[in-house]
Structures are given as C-alpha cells and as structure tokens.
Amino acid sequence: MLEKATRVTRQITYARYADDIVVLVKPGHWVDKVHKRLLEELDKIQVSVNEEKSKIVNLEKSGSFTFLGFEYRRIKGKNGKYRPDRKPSKKAKEALLDKLRALFKRYRSQPVQWVVTYANPILRGWLNYFRTGNSTRTFAYVRMWLDKKLRRHMRKSRQKRGFGWKKWSRRELVRITGIYDDYRIRYYRPKATPVR
C-alpha cells in the first residue's frame, strides 16, 4: 500500500525496519488521509499500533522523532536553508553511558586495562553505528565523559585525587590505556538519481 502511495502521490516516503516504521508526508491534507489509511491497512492484517510509541509530528514546527536510535529533526543550516538533522537519541547515549558506568563500577579495584578490554567492543560498535549524520556533539560529550572516567580510575588506583590533567595528555591517555579512540564522522553524499 505504501509503495503504491509513494509512486502515485509523490507526497509520501517511508522507512521500515522489522516492526518499526516511519512515514514521511508533505504538509497538508495528506497527513490525515495517510494516517487513517495506514490504520485501516494494519487492522486488516490484525496488527495493533503501540499508541505510546506512535505519534504524528510536524518537523516544520520544531517536532522531532526517533527511529532506530537516531533522533531526527529539521534545522536551519548556515546557508539559511532547512536541512534534516540526525544524531544519536538521548536514550541511546544514556544506554551507552550506563553500560560503561557499570564496567567502571565492576572493575573499580582492577587495572584500567581491564575496563578498557570490555569497554572497547561496546564503544567501537556504538561509535560505528552512529558515525553518520550529525553526531559530532554527542561524540564529543561521550569522549570527554570517558576521558574523565579513565583519568579518575587511574588516579584512584594510585590513591590520588583529581583527574591528572597535567600528568597525561589526551594522546598519552589513549596510548597508556588502549581505549578505542576513533570518533570521526563519516559523511555520505547521496547518489544522483537518473532522470527518466
């Protein structure tokens, strides 16, 4: 139904993964029509909609939505034109920090390399997943948060206070601990669609 609506109206596009779906509709009377039709089609195949997770948002009025861990919104670029903004959701960021926090707590009396051994696969997977889009600020926050945690862990193991800002530079900290440190963002240019 959505494939047909996309072809016929050219006012709709959608993305689906397993039982999650996002339908993007151009502003206007199409929103109510699409919503009603979608509910009818889902009812036919006896699929119920989770009302708590489902919502209609207006991106032109600062609305946002999350899909597969990313938060999407519409922002004004430096050139004055509006563009999509995609970054890790607050929930996704907090889930990562909770996992790392648990590791630091579990291995608080062990050498920092123990924490790093278990943290690296988690960190690498999370960063690689969210490496596209507008994740720069979130990545900077995660990097600084982890930097402080590692420093505090190392200082406590030496029975000292503080973070050791003067003792270790960022580069030295990475070298000593072996913590995964690739926070680069990947930018993809959309492929040109041939005109028919």
Side-chain angles (χ1 to χ4, degrees), residues 143-183:
R143 190 179 201 178
M144 181 54 75
W145 183 93
L146 191 56
D147 196 57
K148 286 180 179 178
K149 280 290 200 182
L150 289 167
R151 289 173 181 276
R152 179 62 62 86
H153 189 95
M154 290 167 71
R155 294 292 284 179
K156 280 186 176 179
S157 70
R158 291 167 171 78
Q159 297 181 338
K160 294 185 178 180
R161 293 183 178 183
F163 294 98
W165 297 114
K166 291 181 180 178
K167 186 169 179 61
W168 306 294
S169 68
R170 170 79 194 158
R171 187 176 290 178
E172 286 172 320
L173 189 72
V174 171
R175 183 183 57 79
I176 292 165
T177 63
I179 192 70
Y180 184 75
D181 193 49
D182 184 1
Y183 289 84

Side-chain angles (χ1 to χ4, degrees), residues 18-193:
D19 62 345
D20 289 330
I21 188 167
V22 170
V23 181
L24 301 173
V25 183
K26 287 191 178 177
H29 66 283
W30 284 101
V31 176
D32 293 331
K33 285 183 177 181
V34 170
H35 183 245
K36 184 182 175 185
R37 182 71 196 281
L38 188 58
L39 292 176
E40 287 171 359
E41 290 297 320
L42 290 172
D43 190 50
K44 283 181 190 176
I45 57 173
Q46 298 177 347
V47 172
S48 58
V49 175
N50 185 329
E51 297 295 337
E52 290 178 13
K53 290 184 178 179
S54 301
K55 60 180 180 177
I56 297 174
V57 297
N58 188 335
L59 296 178
E60 289 184 339
K61 294 183 178 177
S62 302
S64 67
F65 65 91
T66 58
F67 183 59
L68 304 179
F70 283 93
E71 180 186 8
Y72 294 83
R73 63 178 61 246
R74 181 177 174 254
I75 61 169
K76 196 179 246 188
K78 291 179 182 176
N79 61 1
K81 294 181 180 178
Y82 284 97
R83 63 175 179 81
D85 181 64
R86 182 177 77 161
K87 61 186 177 186
S89 68
K90 189 176 180 181
K91 187 177 176 182
K93 181 184 79 175
E94 288 304 319
L96 169 70
L97 298 184
D98 285 345
K99 284 181 183 177
L100 295 175
R101 202 176 280 119
L103 287 176
F104 278 101
K105 188 175 181 180
R106 184 174 180 183
Y107 298 108
R108 64 178 160 226
S109 59
Q110 302 299 330
V112 72
Q113 283 75 16
W114 284 45
V115 178
V116 169
T117 298
Y118 294 103
N120 273 350
I122 296 167
L123 189 61
R124 185 183 299 112
W126 194 89
L127 290 170
N128 283 333
Y129 181 76
F130 288 107
R131 199 173 293 286
T132 62
N134 310 93
S135 304
T136 306
R137 283 187 181 177
T138 307
F139 278 19
Y141 180 90
V142 168
R143 190 179 201 178
M144 181 54 75
W145 183 93
L146 191 56
D147 196 57
K148 286 180 179 178
K149 280 290 200 182
L150 289 167
R151 289 173 181 276
R152 179 62 62 86
H153 189 95
M154 290 167 71
R155 294 292 284 179
K156 280 186 176 179
S157 70
R158 291 167 171 78
Q159 297 181 338
K160 294 185 178 180
R161 293 183 178 183
F163 294 98
W165 297 114
K166 291 181 180 178
K167 186 169 179 61
W168 306 294
S169 68
R170 170 79 194 158
R171 187 176 290 178
E172 286 172 320
L173 189 72
V174 171
R175 183 183 57 79
I176 292 165
T177 63
I179 192 70
Y180 184 75
D181 193 49
D182 184 1
Y183 289 84
R184 290 172 298 176
I185 304 294
R186 291 201 184 103
Y187 296 97
Y188 296 101
R189 289 191 176 147
K191 292 179 181 176
T193 307

